[in-house]
Amino acid sequence: LVSSGKDRRLCLWKRGEREFTLAWAKDSAHKRIVWSVHFCPFDESILASGSRDGCIKIWKIVDDDNATRLFSFAPSFTRNEKPDAVTALAFAPVSVDNGALLALGLESGRIELWRIPVHDENVAPSLIETDGLTPNLFHCATVTKLAWRPAHTKPLYLASSSLDHG
């Protein structure tokens, strides 16, 4: 189990027989509130966190009691020359192009798709250009939740919710 919050701390909890115990914590994992965290469904050692600071961090759980940061990057969309705040994120349920597909929901209402090379630390995460995600289809308020259909077949379906009630 992973938790995050206003204190900017990431916590990894280990399940025992009757309780959860803190296995690892990263103080100041981000510069601002951590809005979203998500485990990679097909590689339980990979974790993503997204923050109001406009930063996405990809973490690798090295063992049950430790994690290291693999990547740190910002969404491509900026407002006032700063990266837009990341308010939601979700990994797709299957590997895509030998990596992970990560959807980002932003405070502006935009959604971005990124390829995360979970097995190659020498290749940086990259924005996936899509014809289907045009600005006229974005939300007009903050994205609050993203979820992929939990099927292990293609096509992939992504659902989103927003403060615009859409």
Side-chain angles (χ1 to χ4, degrees):
L1 176 69
V2 66
S3 64
S4 66
K6 286 184 179 182
D7 61 1
R8 303 173 295 150
R9 188 177 200 212
L10 282 181
C11 295
L12 186 63
W13 301 88
K14 187 181 208 176
R15 183 176 177 205
E17 287 187 33
R18 296 188 176 186
E19 75 250 351
F20 284 89
T21 57
L22 183 63
W24 171 82
K26 177 68 174 172
D27 292 330
S28 300
H30 286 268
K31 293 177 183 173
R32 303 279 306 272
I33 185 173
V34 181
W35 286 116
S36 188
V37 291
H38 195 254
F39 278 104
C40 182
F42 57 88
D43 185 343
E44 65 274 1
S45 71
I46 302 295
L47 169 71
S49 60
S51 171
R52 182 161 185 79
D53 64 9
C55 186
I56 302 97
K57 294 185 179 180
I58 307 298
W59 305 87
K60 173 123 177 124
I61 300 169
V62 181
D63 53 48
D64 288 342
D65 300 324
N66 194 13
T68 61
R69 190 180 73 209
L70 289 179
F71 302 109
S72 181
F73 62 99
S76 68
F77 184 71
T78 59
R79 296 195 305 177
N80 301 322
E81 300 179 14
K82 293 182 180 177
D84 201 3
V86 179
T87 54
L89 47 77
F91 280 108
V94 295
S95 177
V96 176
D97 297 330
N98 206 22
L101 178 61
L102 182 66
L104 307 179
L106 305 178
E107 188 173 47
S108 63
R110 291 177 179 261
I111 296 171
E112 294 182 355
L113 298 177
W114 285 76
R115 184 184 174 283
I116 310 298
V118 294
H119 301 296
D120 189 351
E121 297 175 32
N122 298 317
V123 178
S126 57
L127 179 68
I128 297 172
E129 298 294 333
T130 60
D131 294 331
L133 288 175
T134 58
N136 63 326
L137 295 176
F138 291 137
H139 292 283
C140 60
T142 302
V143 176
T144 55
K145 180 74 175 168
L146 294 170
W148 292 92
R149 183 177 81 173
H152 298 287
T153 60
K154 293 183 182 178
L156 295 171
Y157 289 91
L158 177 67
S160 63
S161 64
S162 168
L163 291 178
D164 66 8
H165 305 289

